[in-house]
Amino acid sequence: MPAFVTLSGRSVRLEPLSLAAVDDLVAAASEDRSTYAFTRVPAGREEMVSYVEAALAEQAGGRTMPFAIRWLHTDRVVGATRLMNLEYWQGPMPWPPGARGAVGEIPSVADIGYTWLAASAQGLGVNRESKFLLLSLAFETWNVHRITLKADVRNTRSRAAIEALGAQLDGVRRAETRGADDTVRDTAYYSILSSEWPAVRERMSQRLGLVVAA
């Protein structure tokens, strides 16, 4: 499985998720929760412990890499995100069909998901820089072929943020899962391919003020 890392940017640091972050995550999730209508965010310490433990169990199996998001402006943990659904295409094809392949050292594709932020950290570039750090790791260190991002089709705010990254809409999977509001959810699927990353990287760098636009 890939080596776990801390990812540092100008205003955000993504730190390996651990039980030590539980109290900080509970505080972040306890702010105004009205923005979580379409996102399942743990409520209370018991749910947060279960959330972190489940993420760490998937990490141990080499299928996810979860992070706590630290906003350096306040030096507070303000949310969480992860690289998930890691697939490894190296080696022989798994058998029988549909079986999961063995875990390797470098993922071939991944999703970015389970991202949530405290209300006080929303709309301030924290999400954008977090995504930039995750995408940079995936495309420039792992050399993945594709990153997938998903959102409840009704979540116009999340979809707009994904589209602002430069991700392409692959389509909508109808009745894809149970929604955060206990309805049957349609899910919009987006992706960024390795061939598209240079343009996406330049666009994001300009928006983050990492380069001076010509």
Side-chain angles (χ1 to χ4, degrees):
M1 57 187 296
F4 215 93
V5 292
T6 296
L7 305 175
S8 296
R10 281 187 173 182
S11 61
V12 169
R13 185 166 66 239
L14 302 185
E15 303 171 349
L17 186 66
S18 72
L19 288 170
V22 163
D23 289 336
D24 290 338
L25 290 169
V26 170
S30 298
E31 295 182 12
D32 180 8
R33 293 181 60 87
S34 64
T35 58
Y36 301 150
F38 301 114
T39 305
R40 296 191 67 181
V41 177
R45 196 174 196 282
E46 184 176 350
E47 284 191 13
M48 193 65 72
V49 169
S50 297
Y51 166 86
V52 173
E53 288 179 340
L56 296 180
E58 287 195 15
Q59 175 194 332
R63 299 296 176 181
T64 193
M65 183 173 282
F67 296 91
I69 303 172
R70 183 174 296 278
W71 191 16
L72 300 180
H73 176 67
T74 60
D75 196 29
R76 292 189 301 121
V77 170
V78 293
T81 189
R82 67 186 73 171
L83 285 156
M84 52 189 279
N85 295 335
L86 305 182
E87 294 184 19
Y88 303 83
W89 295 353
Q90 306 93 338
M93 293 287 285
W95 187 264
R100 274 188 163 184
V103 170
E105 293 184 359
I106 303 175
S108 302
V109 295
D111 292 8
I112 292 177
Y114 281 102
T115 303
W116 60 270
L117 288 171
S120 60
Q122 295 176 18
L124 298 172
V126 175
N127 178 60
R128 186 182 303 126
E129 187 168 5
S130 297
K131 293 291 194 297
F132 182 78
L133 293 172
L134 294 175
L135 290 166
S136 297
L137 172 66
F139 283 119
E140 297 175 12
T141 300
W142 296 348
N143 295 312
V144 299
H145 302 290
R146 183 194 74 240
I147 287 290
T148 298
L149 303 103
K150 297 177 283 189
D152 188 311
V153 75
R154 301 166 296 173
N155 194 342
T156 56
R157 181 173 180 174
S158 288
R159 293 186 66 182
I162 292 172
E163 290 166 4
L165 300 176
Q168 301 298 308
L169 177 65
D170 294 326
V172 174
R173 180 175 291 179
R174 298 175 297 166
E176 193 262 347
T177 189
R178 178 180 176 181
D181 58 353
D182 289 327
T183 62
V184 178
R185 163 180 149 167
D186 296 342
T187 299
Y189 277 70
Y190 294 85
S191 64
I192 301 172
L193 303 183
S194 57
S195 60
E196 299 164 342
W197 170 239
V200 170
R201 187 184 197 284
E202 181 178 2
R203 178 179 180 177
M204 294 186 71
S205 294
Q206 289 182 356
R207 295 191 68 186
L208 289 167
L210 302 178
V211 297
V212 178

